[in-house]
Amino acid sequence: MQTATRRFRAVDALLIILMLLPLLCGIVIKILFVPPGEGMDISGAAVFFTIPLPIQSMPITESQVNSWLVMLFVTGFCLYMTHGIRAGVKTRRQHLAEWIVEKTDGLVKDNMGEYFAGFSPLIGAVLALSACSSLLTLLGLFPPTSDLNIVGGWALLVFCLITYYKMKCGPVHYLKSFAEPVALLTPMNVISEIATPVSMAFRHFGNVLSGVVISTILGAALTGLTTTLLGWLPGFLGDIPFLKVGIPAVLSLYFDLFSGCLQAFIFAMLTMLYVASAFPMEDYFQRRELKKKTQKQSTK
Amino acid sequence: MLELAIGIILGCCALGAGAAMIAGIGPGIGEGNAVAKACEAIGRQPESRGQVTTTMLMGCAIAETTGLYALIIALLLIFLAPGRFVNILMRTLG
């Protein structure tokens, strides 16, 4: 028993290290390889190196590295939360893990219906990934969600899911759905189909990026204000941006904490709503009934 | 002469970025309306607070989209467009 608990503790500690190591790695990489920005420098993700490929060379940027680190963090968190989970044993950790799973299941069932109950892992993953990516700004790292490529990839995934569920009744039904309610509106329907992932990506990207831009501008402005107001102080005292202390934290509370979590929630919510509304459920079940009937008749 | 041309390009890009952000008025009014109605609804039926808040946040996020499009246009005008336009100018001048 004694050794068992000791081993349990050791694995626990290992998992916590696995959870925190990616974040530490991110900070170290940022310090070592990313050149520090000066003043009002709003640049995109720093490019670490490029892999030459035949069609187009692929740059490995800060946003890619950071999103991989976030994935590792989420994986470590999940492993830690589910370590030593057993029926009947009620520890605090297990309660929290069960609460998370139950809430996600409930959210998916409320918004998508019973048929889509299997979607809760995807929605949970989207929520965790998006929220953790946006919250990386709290550590001073580059948030991957303020890169259009990352969010565009997620939106593309959602678009594939939407198209898959629209195709469930066959390609003819899918193509026919564009000509509804009138055939004249086909171009409009095609445009709105394409606009769905584009607007999803732009919404998430724009919200996070606007926070980053505003906090950068505010930081630069406060630094300038301090030099004009308190620049007469002797020695190094004049170089310290005193006004930069505390004031940006209020904005950060909204833009980083609230907006980051809200955008994750909205992205997951929109994913659920679009996928659920893309599935022509009545037609699908009617077709299945018809197929079953014809099969029975043919076997008879 | 070239300096003047480049100056005009930069200034017009900045003006355009500012003008694009006028679009921020629309989502502002829209979201204000949405929140006002949500407050009314919660005042009338305090027990439906959670659902009303969720729906309001969703609606706000969707109403915000046009404003974000304007923001992206403004950012492109500030960060991307000047270089492009100056390049085009240089190419035409040879």
Side-chain angles (χ1 to χ4, degrees):
Chain A
M1 193 63 202
Q2 193 62 245
T3 50
T5 47
R6 197 172 289 165
R7 194 185 294 157
F8 187 81
R9 284 265 166 81
V11 174
D12 248 17
L14 206 72
L15 287 175
I16 289 176
I17 290 170
L18 185 73
M19 195 165 93
L20 296 180
L21 202 64
L23 301 180
L24 207 70
C25 270
I27 295 171
V28 168
I29 289 173
K30 163 117 186 168
I31 291 170
L32 287 183
F33 297 112
V34 180
E38 290 204 0
M40 265 183 48
D41 179 36
I42 306 169
S43 54
V47 179
F48 290 131
F49 55 90
T50 46
I51 300 172
L53 287 179
I55 301 168
Q56 198 182 8
S57 56
M58 188 172 77
I60 299 293
T61 61
E62 211 179 350
S63 49
Q64 270 158 314
V65 173
N66 279 359
S67 65
W68 275 100
L69 293 177
V70 167
M71 282 182 226
L72 280 179
F73 168 74
V74 173
T75 312
F77 180 73
C78 291
L79 285 177
Y80 173 70
M81 290 306 277
T82 53
H83 181 225
I85 224 163
R86 263 173 296 169
V89 182
K90 293 288 175 193
T91 55
R92 211 179 297 162
R93 193 193 304 171
Q94 188 167 341
H95 273 303
L96 191 59
E98 281 174 4
W99 181 79
I100 292 172
V101 171
E102 272 169 19
K103 279 281 163 191
T104 319
D105 278 351
L107 192 73
V108 171
K109 263 181 202 166
D110 280 352
N111 289 304
M112 295 175 90
E114 283 293 327
Y115 183 83
F116 288 101
F119 256 74
S120 63
L122 174 81
I123 300 300
V126 165
L127 267 173
L129 202 57
S130 172
C132 292
S133 301
S134 300
L135 291 181
L136 269 190
T137 36
L138 294 181
L139 292 175
L141 299 176
F142 181 84
T145 38
S146 74
D147 190 329
L148 186 57
N149 300 317
I150 301 283
V151 198
W154 300 352
L156 211 62
L157 178 77
V158 175
F159 180 68
C160 290
L161 276 176
I162 291 172
T163 312
Y164 172 74
Y165 275 98
K166 280 196 171 171
M167 287 272 208
K168 273 250 168 178
C169 283
V172 180
H173 188 279
Y174 174 65
L175 289 178
K176 228 199 274 174
S177 73
F178 280 115
E180 279 170 2
V182 207
L184 204 68
L185 288 175
T186 310
M188 295 310 252
N189 281 332
V190 173
I191 289 173
S192 76
E193 191 74 13
I194 298 167
T196 307
V198 171
S199 79
M200 266 176 101
F202 274 161
R203 183 175 301 122
H204 200 316
F205 156 75
N207 268 300
V208 179
L209 186 74
S210 65
V212 172
V213 168
I214 287 174
S215 38
T216 313
I217 290 175
L218 186 79
L222 286 176
T223 315
L225 197 64
T226 330
T227 33
T228 45
L229 284 182
L230 301 169
W232 49 268
L233 284 173
F236 67 93
L237 277 176
D239 295 333
I240 302 173
F242 286 107
L243 284 178
K244 228 175 156 182
V245 179
I247 297 173
V250 182
L251 274 180
S252 175
L253 206 64
Y254 175 78
F255 282 114
D256 295 342
L257 262 178
F258 178 70
S259 185
C261 294
L262 186 69
Q263 288 313 312
F265 177 69
I266 283 166
F267 195 88
M269 204 71 175
L270 284 177
T271 307
M272 287 190 279
L273 292 181
Y274 282 139
V275 172
S277 66
F279 182 47
M281 198 172 286
E282 286 174 14
D283 292 350
Y284 178 67
F285 284 117
Q286 267 178 10
R287 268 171 68 102
R288 220 164 61 168
E289 292 282 306
L290 269 176
K291 258 189 190 172
K292 268 184 194 169
K293 268 182 194 169
T294 47
Q295 267 178 359
K296 268 182 193 170
Q297 277 168 1
S298 60
T299 47
K300 272 173 191 173
Chain B
M1 205 57 198
L2 195 63
E3 285 91 347
L4 184 67
I6 290 175
I8 288 174
I9 287 176
L10 293 181
C12 287
C13 281
L15 271 180
M21 284 317 290
I22 294 175
I25 295 173
I29 295 174
E31 282 176 29
N33 269 337
V35 178
K37 294 285 178 196
C39 288
E40 276 177 24
I42 292 172
R44 230 178 286 127
Q45 287 173 306
E47 68 276 4
S48 66
R49 183 197 168 97
Q51 272 200 325
V52 169
T53 313
T54 315
T55 317
M56 183 200 75
L57 285 177
M58 282 293 301
C60 280
I62 293 179
E64 220 173 29
T65 313
T66 48
L68 288 170
Y69 288 160
L71 173 75
I72 286 160
I73 298 292
L75 286 176
L76 288 180
L77 274 173
I78 291 173
F79 293 114
L80 212 70
R84 284 267 162 102
F85 290 154
V86 170
N87 274 349
I88 291 169
L89 182 77
M90 291 303 189
R91 223 179 298 137
T92 41
L93 289 182

